[in-house]
Amino acid sequence: MATPKLAPFTGDEITAYAMKQIEPDVVAAYPITPQTEIVMNFSQYVADGKVSTEMIPVESEHSAMSACVGAACAGARTMTATSANGLALMWEILYIAASTRLPIVMPVVNRALSAPINIHCDHSDSMGTRDSGWLQIYCENAQEVYESIILAVKIAERADIQLPVMVCQDGFITSHAVEGVEVFEDKAVKDFIGEYKPRFSLLNVEKPVTVGPLDLQDYYFEHKRQQSEGITNALKVIPEVFKEFEKAFGKKHDFVDGYRLDDAEVAICVLSSTAGTARGVVDNLRDKGQKVGLLKPRFFRPFPREAIAKKLSHLKAVAVLDRSEAFSGEGGPLFSEVKAALYDEKSHPSVINYIFGLGGRDIFEKDIEKVYTDLLEVAGTGKIKEKIHFLGVRD
Amino acid sequence: MTKKGWKDIPIGGLIEKGGTAKEYKTGDWRTFIPVKDEAKCIDCMICWVYCPDSCIKVKDGKMTGFDLDYCKGCGICASVCPVKCISMEKEKK
Ligand code: SF4
Ligand code: SF4
């Protein structure tokens, strides 16, 4: 195992770098803030002859995902990247990619959806696509982005999964901040992902196939049942990919990342970059003797119910922080699912929700400290005064 | 034909052969059926050019009838026929 090389990258730059090392057969993409630098940097690799990828500069994200579907059906290892309204414009084709079981990998740089127009981070874009059949990985920093993209290729292409994967990072916070990233050798990445062996290829005239046929009352349901099995399989077999990754690169991955939870009484559950800020707050409060912890789910699809329940069920109170509003009137999407995950447990903590950071609103340590203070009160009194909070909004 | 269960079919709606549209007889969507008056037809082939489903049957330069497995009863042939020898009649099923 060669030692990884430490080099400075923004989240977008390391995404393009990972794509360069993966060297997909086809990339079809349209630039959109804050994903733009991914497309820009990757196009440069193509222009400089650093990769042999067929780059398709399309006229919209609907076309980007359509071209990806076509390329994947032709048997190409295929990638794209997007953000916000771009992801929304792909909507129709996202479902087609997942239902046709095409292992496309798509970095998503999380950004708020309009209106009003906003280019900054929240998770409303990818959370909106949570029922599209794509797997979703959420990343805290550039290092996680890098490793997750490489992991995603392996996961997507597994014969027992065959589903597309989004690798999400926080817009600007991660995508535009420079961090030191340990990068692996090109060859090590190529060896890990291996040669792509597509399930079928429209270009193979020896074995003609029909893709995307009309599928009515007689077989559509069976195909959906298979898709559901694909997601269940993903939960079962992704840990094998984690092991292979660890063997190849010496880095551990898991569905969830727990921090100081074992003897904790209360915890915050949050995705992506905010987990980094929260970890610092946990350390500060621990120094003051408060029994606080943190859970950062890495995967949202498949939803790692057991892993989450195992980490949280022993606590007295949990706050789920959602960087998106689901407009159900019942809190954010992560809150709903984490709460449901705990329902089957013998005993479970009180669970409250904080919607935060919409449209890139900053979240500070003092905001997270306030959540822990609220949590300790809930744990102490056993009473929830308010279930859904809006953290950092002006009254 | 007994239908297969979800474990016995390829994933993703894939069909492991080509040209399968041929097996799907779209003619059963039809409400109206084209009927030709043989005596008036001049075999000009205009209906053959216009039929969107390639359902005009031709043999030895003669228009011989309609492929009713795929004819969807749109009436374009009746509309374009220069001698108006095709009429669209309600199909009895
Ligand atoms: S009715 Fe329409 S589909 Fe049928 S033969 Fe005429 S043009 Fe073709
Ligand atoms: S268009 Fe009319 S006249 Fe011409 S071939 Fe068809 S049915 Fe006959």
Side-chain angles (χ1 to χ4, degrees):
Chain A
M1 205 185 306
T3 10
K5 192 176 79 200
L6 188 68
F9 286 95
T10 65
D12 274 355
E13 285 166 358
I14 197 63
T15 302
Y17 190 82
M19 289 167 74
K20 175 179 90 101
Q21 292 188 309
I22 291 161
E23 200 177 2
D25 301 310
V26 174
V27 167
Y30 189 85
I32 180 169
T33 302
Q35 158 267 35
T36 311
E37 281 74 7
I38 298 175
V39 179
M40 203 175 81
N41 282 288
F42 190 76
S43 303
Q44 193 69 52
Y45 291 134
V46 175
D48 293 348
K50 297 267 169 64
V51 289
S52 60
T53 303
E54 182 75 34
M55 175 93 193
I56 314 177
V58 284
E59 78 281 16
S60 78
E61 286 84 358
H62 190 276
S63 308
M65 190 45 68
S66 300
C68 285
V69 164
C73 288
R77 179 176 269 155
T78 306
M79 293 183 76
T80 182
T82 196
S83 284
N85 300 48
L87 185 59
L89 188 51
M90 286 179 178
W91 201 270
E92 176 193 8
I93 317 299
L94 288 178
Y95 279 74
I96 294 171
S99 307
T100 312
R101 310 295 294 273
L102 304 173
I104 299 164
V105 172
M106 172 162 68
V108 172
V109 184
N110 282 122
R111 167 187 146 181
L113 285 172
S114 304
I117 288 191
N118 181 298
I119 56 165
H120 289 279
C121 177
D122 72 34
H123 297 167
S124 51
D125 50 359
S126 59
M127 278 297 163
T129 67
R130 65 191 183 275
D131 296 344
S132 63
W134 284 62
L135 308 192
Q136 289 189 341
I137 308 176
Y138 285 83
C139 304
E140 180 181 329
N141 51 38
Q143 186 71 43
E144 264 186 24
V145 170
Y146 175 61
E147 294 179 24
S148 300
I149 293 170
I150 297 166
L151 256 179
V153 173
K154 193 87 172 173
I155 292 170
E157 292 175 3
R158 270 195 68 128
D160 41 13
I161 300 180
Q162 292 280 301
L163 284 167
V165 185
M166 290 182 201
V167 181
C168 306
Q169 60 178 297
D170 282 349
F172 290 108
I173 301 162
T174 306
S175 69
H176 284 61
V178 179
E179 293 179 71
V181 181
E182 288 183 359
V183 293
F184 312 129
E185 299 269 334
D186 290 357
K187 190 181 172 304
V189 174
K190 282 258 163 62
D191 286 349
F192 176 73
I193 58 172
E195 194 194 329
Y196 179 45
K197 296 197 185 69
R199 214 166 75 243
F200 64 90
S201 164
L202 283 177
L203 299 180
N204 183 358
V205 289
E206 305 294 323
K207 262 184 86 182
V209 290
T210 304
V211 175
L214 186 69
D215 194 23
L216 301 177
Q217 297 95 324
D218 52 353
Y219 276 104
Y220 181 88
F221 200 176
E222 278 67 29
H223 289 123
K224 291 292 137 181
R225 178 66 189 84
Q226 292 175 330
Q227 211 179 323
S228 176
E229 190 72 2
I231 280 281
T232 317
N233 279 347
L235 264 181
K236 280 187 217 139
V237 303
I238 288 171
E240 290 172 27
V241 186
F242 293 154
K243 277 202 199 100
E244 289 170 49
F245 193 91
E246 191 181 349
K247 206 167 148 224
F249 303 112
K251 299 285 196 83
K252 277 190 194 301
H253 283 266
D254 208 339
F255 285 123
V256 298
D257 187 0
Y259 188 64
R260 303 185 84 163
L261 279 170
D262 291 347
D263 66 336
E265 289 180 356
V266 302
I268 281 177
C269 174
V270 67
L271 300 170
S272 303
S273 69
T274 312
T277 317
R279 202 175 289 108
V281 176
V282 168
D283 286 341
N284 292 344
L285 296 178
R286 280 278 179 175
D287 289 345
K288 291 181 192 157
Q290 293 179 348
K291 291 191 165 172
V292 298
L294 170 72
L295 184 72
K296 177 186 72 175
R298 299 282 328 282
F299 282 70
F300 189 64
R301 290 289 180 269
F303 187 72
R305 195 205 73 79
E306 270 178 37
I308 288 175
K310 208 169 137 204
K311 294 278 187 194
L312 297 181
S313 57
H314 69 286
L315 301 169
K316 288 185 180 158
V318 170
V320 179
L321 272 57
D322 267 291
R323 202 165 195 146
S324 63
E325 163 61 304
F327 300 111
S328 64
E330 276 296 316
L334 186 62
F335 172 61
S336 302
E337 300 208 15
V338 168
K339 211 164 66 156
L342 293 165
Y343 185 83
D344 290 341
E345 300 303 303
K346 276 193 205 82
S347 68
H348 55 75
S350 304
V351 190
I352 50 176
N353 189 209
Y354 290 80
I355 288 166
F356 77 100
L358 301 191
R361 176 67 47 89
D362 279 328
I363 178 155
F364 297 102
E365 290 193 331
K366 65 172 173 29
D367 300 315
I368 294 170
E369 271 167 30
K370 187 195 170 300
V371 175
Y372 280 118
T373 309
D374 292 355
L375 275 175
L376 289 166
E377 196 192 316
V378 172
T381 60
K383 285 201 178 70
I384 296 174
K385 272 196 239 148
E386 214 174 320
K387 193 170 60 179
I388 299 154
H389 304 251
F390 294 85
L391 187 65
V393 78
R394 288 181 304 276
D395 282 330
Chain B
M1 196 171 69
T2 50
K3 292 184 189 115
K4 290 179 178 167
W6 66 269
K7 289 177 187 156
D8 301 322
I9 52 174
I11 59 167
L14 192 79
I15 300 173
E16 286 164 327
K17 59 180 180 176
T20 53
K22 211 172 173 192
E23 290 168 34
Y24 186 43
K25 307 266 193 286
T26 46
D28 62 3
W29 302 351
R30 188 174 53 226
T31 307
F32 293 97
I33 189 169
V35 178
K36 188 175 75 149
D37 181 346
E38 294 290 347
K40 279 209 251 168
C41 174
I42 56 170
D43 294 312
C44 69
M45 298 303 149
I46 290 189
C47 57
W48 179 85
V49 171
Y50 277 91
C51 172
D53 286 85
S54 307
C55 294
I56 304 297
K57 293 203 269 191
V58 174
K59 204 173 175 214
D60 303 329
K62 301 267 178 221
M63 192 291 203
T64 60
F66 308 94
D67 183 345
L68 295 175
D69 280 347
Y70 300 100
C71 163
K72 62 177 174 242
C74 66
I76 289 174
C77 51
S79 169
V80 297
C81 174
V83 295
K84 298 290 164 218
C85 72
I86 300 173
S87 56
M88 299 302 296
E89 292 173 12
K90 189 94 185 259
E91 187 175 20
K92 291 180 197 77
K93 292 201 181 168

